[in-house]
Amino acid sequence: MTVTTTGDLPGEVYDVAIIGAGVVGTAIARELARHRLRIALVEAADDVGNGTSKANTAILHTGFDATPGTLEARLVREGYQRLTAYAAETGIPLEPLGALLVAWDAEQLAALPSLAEKAVRNGYDETSILDAEAVYAREPHLGPGALGALEVPGESIICPWTTTLAYATQAVRAGVALHLNCPAGAITTGEDHHEIATPRGVLRTRHLVNAAGLYSDEINRRLGHEEFTVTPRRGQLIVFDKFARGLVDHILLPVPTALGKGVLVAPTVYGNVMLGPTAEDLGDKTATGSSADGLASLREKGARIMPELLAEEVTAVYAGLRAATEHGDFQIHADPGRRYVAVGGIRSTGLTASMAIAAHVAELLTECGLDPGPEREIEPVRMPTIGEAFPRPYQRADLIAADPAYGTVVCHCERVTRGEIRDALTATVPPGSLDGLRRRTRALGGRCQGFFCGAAVRAQFDAATAAQDRTEARR
Amino acid sequence: MTPTDRTHRTVDVLVIGAGPAGLALAARLAAAGVDRVEVLDREQHAGGIPRHCHHTGFGLRDLRRLMTGPDYARHHVAAAIRAGAVLRTSVTATGWAAPRTVDITGPTGLERVTATAVVLATGARERPRSARLVPGTRPAGVLTTGQLQQAVHLHHQNVGRRAVIVGAERVSYSAVATLRRAGAEVAAMVTDQPRHQTHPARHLGTRLRYGFPLVTDATVAELTGQGRLESVRLRHRDGRTAAVVCDTVVFTGDWIPDHELARSAGIALDPGTRGPAADAEFRTGEPGVFAVGNLLHPVETADIAALDGRLAAGPVLRHLAGRPWTPGALPVRVEAPLLWVSPNRIAPDGPRPPRGRFTLRTTRFLTRPVLTVGQDGRTLHRGRLPRTVAPGRPFHVPADWIAGADAHGGPVRITVD
Ligand SMILES: Cc1cc2nc3c(=O)[nH]c(=O)nc-3n(C[C@H](O)[C@H](O)[C@H](O)COP(=O)(O)OP(=O)(O)OC[C@H]3O[C@@H](n4cnc5c(N)ncnc54)[C@H](O)[C@@H]3O)c2cc1C
Ligand SMILES: Cc1cc2nc3c(=O)[nH]c(=O)nc-3n(C[C@H](O)[C@H](O)[C@H](O)COP(=O)(O)OP(=O)(O)OC[C@H]3O[C@@H](n4cnc5c(N)ncnc54)[C@H](O)[C@@H]3O)c2cc1C
C-alpha cells in the first residue's frame, strides 16, 4: 500500500499514470487496479477529492434530463447503476429519496410532459406527472403557488466525500501508488514513455490519463491537444441546520432552463438541507469563495421554494466550480499515438458518472495499446458510516462495548466519536488537514463550526500527525 | 450484546449540562435531601464555559467574591459533589425515548434514564461565520471566542499572529486578552454599532493595555485567503470598503442557545431568545422539564446562570413533591429593536420572576428609552429607563404589573418608543 505526501517519486516506469485524484481520477485508478498494472495516481493537493469533487450538490442522477444521445447521457445512466450497487457494497451513504421537478408557472407546467418523454429517450420510464394537490401531499412545506411536478423516483442523495475516498482506498489497497502534494508540470512524450516533471522529481509512465478537472484543458494542451477550454462555472450553496431536515423529503428541482439545472432544495445524507447552487461563469479557476450577491439570490429563490427553510440556522456556506467547456458534452478523447486519454469537461454530473467514465477510459486505454492482462478480484472495502440512514457509532452498544472510544463523543453537533477520528487518522488514505478529517468523519462540520470541539479535534489531529512524523523519521 | 442494547435506570432529577446553572441547581437539590440527583456533561470535565475563561470577574453575584473562570468552575463542581449530586462527564444526552426519559451515550455504553424532573442546562454558543452569512473563501484561521479560548487555554495551540475581532461586546474583550496571551496582535476590533458595547472602563483599560483600533459602523464584507486567512474586507456604513491584513478572525457574541434537546423534545421555543419558552419558575411547556441558565437567556454572565440554578431548586422540589404542572401560559414577547425577554411566559396569579424583574436585550443602542408593556391594546406598565441601553448588555423591566395581565388575553408585548 503506497500513499506518499513528500520525498522523491520512485524511479520506476508506471504502466499508467493518472493526473488528478478527484472522484473521476480515483474511479479510474480503482477500475484499472482490477488488473495487474503498475499505476500511479498523482494529485496536486494534500488530499484526494479536494477539488470540485468536495463541493457539489451530491445528487446521484438518473440522467432523466440529459441530452439524449450524448456520451454524458450514456455515462450518467450507467454510472447511476454502477454507483448505486457500489454504494450498497461499500457503505457509501446513499438515500433514494426521489425528486420532484416543481412547476411554478403555466409555462413550466406545460414543459413537464416533454421532460417525461425526454426521460424515456434517456432510458428512464418511471417518471409521473403530479397535480398541485399531490405535490403538496408529498411536500407540505413547499411555498405557495406550485402548479404541479414531475416525479422522478430514482434520483438519490449520496456522500461525495465517501465516494471518492472509497475509490481511492480500494485502489491503494490493490496496489495503486497515490502521490499527494505532487502537481504535474511539464510533460515530455517519448517513444516509449512520458516524463512528467513534478516538484518531487520526474514521473515516468507509458500511458497517461488526464483527469485534472478544472485544469484538464491545460494538461491537454501540454500533450498538443486543443479540443476544449475549461471555463469555471461557480455554484454557491447554503447548508441549513439539521432541524430543517423535517421540512423536506424529496430533492426539489426547478424545471431546467438553458442556464442549467437551476437552484434546488435537497436533504443531505448527513441530515441537513441544502439550497443552491448558483451558476456563474468566471475566469478564475481558484474562485471558490461565496459572494454577498450569490447568497442573497439563493435566499431569494429559497424563500419562494420553501419559506420556512430560511428561518432555520445556517450551518455552512460553500462554493464549487464546474468544469464547463464550449461543448455540450463530456470531453473524453484518446490519442493512441501518444498513449494518452483526456478526461475533460466533466461538468455537473461527474460524481454520478464516475464509475462509468472509469470503465470507458479503461476501454480507451486498451485502444491505446495498453494490455491490461486478466481481470482479478480486488479486496472489497467497507467505509465508515457517516450518513444518517444507518446507526452511527455513538448509537451502537456493540461497538462501544468492544471499544469505549466509540462512546466518547468529541464533535457534539455531528456526534463524532474519538474512535472514528482515530480510525480516520490511521486509515489507508489519511487526511492531510482538518478539512480532510471533516470530510471523512463530519467532525467540525456541524452547526457550531468548532466552538465546542475545534480545539479538541485539532489536538487529536496534531497528536496523530506528530506520531506519524516520528515513525517516518525513524524509517 | 445487540447493537442497540441500553441499560435502563431511574433517578429523581436528571440535570443535562454541568455548567454553573446545572451545578448550582444540583448542589441545592442534593443539599435539600433529594436522593438521586445526576448531572451529565458531554465534555471530559465538568464546569461549563468558565473552564476556559482564564480571567477574573466570576462569582460576584452568586458567591460574593471575585475569582477566575477555572476557579469558579472548580468551586461549583466541588460544591455539587460535596452536596451529594452524582456528576458524570464524557456523557452526551442524545435524545428522548419518552417525555422524561433521555437516551445517553458514554464510554460505558448506551443508557436510557427516566427522571421525575429533567432540567435542561445546556448553555449557549456564538454563531459561527457561516451562520452570519459572511461571504468569501473558507480559509483556516476563522474562530469563535469559545474555540479561541479552548485552543489557547486548554490545548496551548497556536492561533496565528494578527487577528481581527468581530464584535465589541463583553466577550469580544475577553477575546482580545486571550489573543494577547497567545502572542497574537489585534489588528482591529469591528462592530456594526456606532460604539463598543462593554463597560467604558473595560474598553478603556483593554485599549490602554493593548492599543488596537476600534472600527465602528462597519461589517465584514468578505474573507480572503486560500489555505490560511489573508485578509478581512470591511464595509463601512457609507459603502467604502477597506481590507485589513490578518491571519485570524474571531467572530464574537451573536448568541444562540444550545437548544437541540429542547427542540427535539418538541418543547416550544421563545421566538426572541430561541431557547425554550419558560416561566418565572423555569418551567417549559413539557411537564417535568425545566430549563435554566444561558439556554434561557443567551447570554448572561456566569453568576446569573448560577443564580438561576439556585432559584430553580424551589420549583423543582415542589414538582418532586407532586405539585401539578401548570406553567405560566401567557407569552411575553418583544418587538424590534428589542431582541428578547426572559422569562417569557407568565401566570398573572403566579410568582414574580427571579429578582422581581424581567431581563431584556436590544439590537441597537437606545438612549433612555421609554418601555411599554401592553396586552390587547391595554397598557400594563410604562416607564423610562434611567440610562442608555446597549446591545449585548442586560437591562431590566420591573415585574409588578403581572398581576394586572389577563391570563386569558393575547400575548403581552414589550415595545419601545
Ligand atoms: C456546484 C456543483 C454541483 C454539482 N452537483 C453535482 C451533482 O449533484 N451530481 C453529480 O454527479 N455531479 C455534480 N457536480 C459535478 C461533480 O462535482 C464533478 O463533475 C466532479 O467532481 C468532477 O470530478 P473530477 O475528478 O473531474 O474533478 P476534481 O474533483 O476537480 O478533481 C481534479 C483533481 O485534479 C487535480 N489536479 C489539477 N491539476 C493537476 C496537476 N497539474 N497535477 C496534479 N493534480 C492536478 C486537482 O487538484 C483535483 O483534485 C457538481 C459540481 C458543482 C461545482
Ligand atoms: C466564550 C465565552 C466567554 C464568556 N466569558 C464570560 C466572562 O468572562 N464572565 C462571565 O461571567 N460569563 C462569561 N461567559 C458567560 C458564561 O460562561 C455563561 O453565562 C455560563 O457559563 C452559563 O452557564 P450555563 O450553566 O448556563 O451554561 P454553560 O456554562 O454553557 O454549560 C452548559 C453545559 O452543558 C453541556 N451540554 C450541552 N448539551 C449537552 C448534552 N446534550 N449532553 C450533555 N451535556 C451537554 C455543555 O458541555 C456545557 O458544559 C462567557 C461565555 C462564553 C461562551
Side-chain angles (χ1 to χ4, degrees):
Chain A
M1 283 199 287
T2 320
V3 180
T4 72
T5 54
T6 54
D8 288 343
L9 293 177
E12 69 182 291
V13 181
Y14 290 100
D15 294 319
V16 186
I18 303 151
I19 301 177
V23 74
V24 172
T26 53
I28 296 169
R30 180 200 157 275
E31 175 69 32
L32 296 176
R34 295 168 57 249
H35 302 271
R36 248 172 236 301
L37 294 167
R38 281 161 306 169
I39 303 163
L41 175 59
V42 292
E43 168 56 50
D46 65 3
D47 202 348
V48 300
N50 205 39
T52 301
S53 300
K54 75 175 176 190
N56 48 50
T57 42
I59 292 176
L60 187 65
H61 295 294
T62 54
F64 77 96
D65 64 342
T67 307
T70 56
L71 180 63
E72 183 175 5
R74 170 163 81 81
L75 297 182
V76 169
R77 188 165 66 241
E78 270 179 43
Y80 173 84
Q81 304 295 346
R82 284 177 187 255
L83 187 45
T84 303
Y86 187 67
E89 178 188 318
T90 55
I92 296 168
L94 173 85
E95 292 183 42
L97 297 178
L100 299 179
L101 257 85
V102 183
W104 296 98
D105 60 36
E107 197 182 327
Q108 291 175 0
L109 190 65
L112 297 184
S114 64
L115 279 164
E117 279 160 32
K118 189 176 179 186
V120 172
R121 274 187 285 150
N122 281 317
Y124 189 80
D125 55 12
E126 284 168 47
T127 64
S128 48
I129 293 177
L130 307 180
D131 62 15
E133 198 185 334
V135 173
Y136 286 101
R138 283 172 179 67
E139 290 292 344
H141 300 278
L142 206 63
L147 303 178
L150 183 72
E151 184 170 39
V152 190
E155 294 279 298
S156 306
I157 57 174
I158 190 168
C159 173
W161 306 325
T162 310
T163 303
T164 308
L165 203 62
Y167 295 156
T169 302
Q170 204 176 15
V172 168
R173 287 191 189 157
V176 170
L178 170 63
H179 301 300
L180 300 168
N181 296 319
C182 194
I187 301 171
T188 326
T189 300
E191 254 326 81
D192 179 52
H193 66 265
H194 305 269
E195 298 208 338
I196 304 164
T198 85
R200 296 174 54 195
V202 178
L203 178 80
R204 293 180 185 81
T205 181
R206 296 197 314 111
H207 290 81
L208 179 61
V209 177
N210 164 11
L214 294 167
Y215 298 90
S216 53
D217 57 341
E218 292 171 29
I219 304 272
N220 204 41
R221 271 186 214 110
R222 285 181 215 160
L223 271 295
H225 287 277
E226 306 268 340
E227 292 96 342
F228 59 92
T229 300
V230 172
T231 307
R233 178 169 298 161
R234 179 166 63 180
Q236 305 184 37
L237 289 125
I238 299 177
V239 180
F240 288 89
D241 192 280
K242 295 184 197 311
F243 279 112
R245 179 64 182 82
L247 293 174
V248 51
D249 258 335
H250 294 79
I251 302 159
L252 301 178
L253 302 171
V255 175
T257 68
L259 282 172
K261 292 184 193 295
V263 171
L264 58 83
V265 169
T268 74
V269 291
Y270 325 109
N272 299 77
V273 175
M274 198 163 55
L275 168 67
T278 58
E280 312 152 64
D281 286 336
L282 305 172
D284 179 357
K285 290 179 176 173
T286 64
T288 52
S290 53
S291 68
D293 290 349
L295 300 181
S297 90
L298 284 182
R299 289 179 66 82
E300 194 187 303
K301 295 207 168 74
R304 168 111 199 245
I305 304 169
M306 189 164 280
E308 285 169 77
L309 182 60
L310 295 200
E312 296 292 342
E313 293 285 317
V314 169
T315 299
V317 170
Y318 66 92
L321 300 172
R322 309 166 185 86
T325 67
E326 64 275 44
H327 306 287
D329 201 353
F330 287 168
Q331 294 299 299
I332 304 182
H333 304 286
D335 176 352
R338 289 197 181 78
R339 304 171 308 280
Y340 166 71
V341 178
V343 189
I346 311 299
R347 28 184 212 164
S348 54
T349 51
L351 169 60
T352 305
S354 51
M355 292 187 92
I357 295 175
H360 182 57
V361 168
E363 274 170 30
L364 293 177
L365 280 169
T366 325
E367 288 167 25
C368 292
L370 176 74
D371 174 12
E375 229 178 87
R376 54 174 184 158
E377 280 290 314
I378 56 173
E379 196 196 323
V381 287
R382 194 71 207 165
M383 302 305 286
T385 311
I386 67 167
E388 289 294 302
F390 295 97
R392 305 252 318 283
Y394 83 90
Q395 296 165 309
R396 291 194 39 194
D398 55 340
L399 274 188
I400 300 171
D403 182 351
Y406 294 115
T408 307
V409 178
V410 177
C411 164
H412 302 300
C413 304
E414 296 296 310
R415 300 201 175 140
V416 185
T417 63
R418 177 163 292 275
E420 292 168 272
I421 295 175
R422 174 202 62 206
D423 294 350
L425 292 169
T426 52
T428 304
V429 184
S433 65
L434 286 174
D435 205 37
L437 181 64
R438 175 179 61 80
R439 296 200 294 272
R440 284 162 176 80
T441 62
R442 291 169 44 178
L444 297 170
R447 55 172 73 98
C448 90
Q449 296 279 303
F451 176 98
F452 292 113
C453 72
V457 171
R458 170 180 289 277
Q460 204 182 341
F461 178 83
D462 287 349
T465 322
Q468 244 151 34
D469 288 350
R470 277 197 302 279
T471 13
E472 259 161 45
R474 266 205 299 280
R475 273 207 209 107
Chain B
M1 165 158 304
T2 78
T4 53
D5 270 351
R6 286 183 184 271
T7 49
H8 293 225
R9 289 188 298 117
T10 308
V11 298
D12 294 318
V13 182
L14 181 67
V15 180
I16 301 168
L23 290 170
L25 173 63
R28 273 284 153 119
L29 292 175
V34 179
D35 253 355
R36 284 160 308 167
V37 180
E38 186 168 311
V39 191
L40 304 181
D41 205 290
R42 59 193 187 184
E43 297 293 341
Q44 278 179 298
H45 301 281
I49 295 285
R51 285 176 306 124
H52 47 77
C53 296
H54 274 237
H55 52 264
T56 188
F58 287 82
L60 194 59
R61 295 184 190 79
D62 65 327
L63 306 175
R64 305 264 165 229
R65 57 187 151 123
L66 273 181
M67 49 200 342
T68 66
D71 284 343
Y72 182 75
R74 275 189 289 272
H75 170 95
H76 278 290
V77 171
I81 292 174
R82 216 168 34 235
V86 174
L87 248 61
R88 300 180 64 213
T89 54
S90 293
V91 174
T92 305
T94 59
W96 307 80
R100 277 171 293 100
T101 301
V102 176
D103 279 349
I104 67 184
T105 290
T108 55
L110 305 184
E111 294 174 44
R112 180 160 287 175
V113 182
T114 300
T116 311
V118 174
V119 185
L120 302 176
T122 52
R125 60 181 173 83
E126 295 161 298
R127 281 196 179 82
R129 171 261 178 115
S130 49
R132 304 179 195 211
L133 290 178
V134 173
T137 55
R138 309 212 311 160
V142 182
L143 309 171
T144 42
T145 320
Q147 181 172 356
L148 170 73
Q149 289 183 340
Q150 296 194 42
V152 173
H153 296 304
L154 299 184
H155 295 282
H156 312 289
Q157 291 162 358
N158 256 330
V159 291
R161 309 162 92 96
R162 205 175 132 79
V164 165
I165 295 175
V166 184
E169 58 181 272
R170 260 187 94 95
V171 69
S172 325
Y173 288 79
S174 298
V176 174
T178 306
L179 282 166
R180 293 308 303 252
R181 167 85 77 93
E185 163 199 4
V186 177
M189 181 184 274
V190 189
T191 171
D192 57 358
Q193 298 292 325
R195 39 192 194 280
H196 69 80
Q197 304 110 54
T198 191
H199 293 283
R202 177 126 193 249
H203 171 72
L204 201 67
T206 315
R207 274 190 78 183
L208 283 177
R209 197 145 161 224
Y210 303 123
F212 55 87
L214 173 68
V215 185
T216 56
D217 283 322
T219 54
V220 180
E222 189 186 10
L223 304 187
T224 69
Q226 286 295 341
R228 179 86 194 185
L229 181 70
E230 282 162 16
S231 83
V232 163
R233 201 157 56 79
L234 303 181
R235 175 176 292 110
H236 295 269
R237 197 169 294 282
D238 60 12
R240 274 181 308 129
T241 70
V244 182
V245 174
C246 58
D247 61 7
T248 303
V249 58
V250 187
F251 286 89
T252 70
D254 196 355
W255 306 95
I256 171 101
D258 228 317
H259 60 209
E260 182 174 17
L261 282 174
R263 216 180 144 182
S264 61
I267 291 172
L269 301 187
D270 176 70
T273 62
R274 297 208 158 226
D279 72 3
E281 295 184 89
F282 305 94
R283 289 177 296 188
T284 71
E286 179 66 43
V289 179
F290 295 83
V292 292
N294 274 347
L295 175 63
L296 293 182
H297 39 64
V299 301
E300 286 269 57
T301 51
D303 46 10
I304 298 288
L307 287 177
D308 269 10
R310 265 192 210 170
L311 292 164
V316 173
L317 288 169
R318 289 194 284 280
H319 171 71
L320 296 178
R323 181 168 67 139
W325 192 263
T326 49
L330 189 60
V332 184
R333 303 251 159 87
V334 293
E335 274 170 26
L338 300 177
L339 180 63
W340 55 250
V341 57
S342 175
N344 36 49
R345 288 284 158 104
I346 54 168
D349 55 353
R352 300 274 181 278
R355 294 170 295 279
R357 61 196 195 181
F358 290 83
T359 303
L360 296 98
R361 283 288 192 288
T362 168
T363 56
R364 56 177 171 78
F365 279 93
L366 301 171
T367 312
R368 301 187 62 229
V370 175
L371 292 192
T372 305
V373 182
Q375 184 186 28
D376 301 326
R378 197 160 57 89
T379 298
L380 302 175
H381 165 91
R382 192 174 157 83
R384 183 182 291 280
L385 294 184
R387 54 187 175 85
T388 294
V389 298
R393 270 160 59 186
F395 59 98
H396 306 282
V397 167
D400 20 344
W401 49 266
I402 69 169
D406 174 3
H408 307 289
V412 171
R413 295 186 188 282
I414 307 182
T415 52
V416 264
D417 50 37

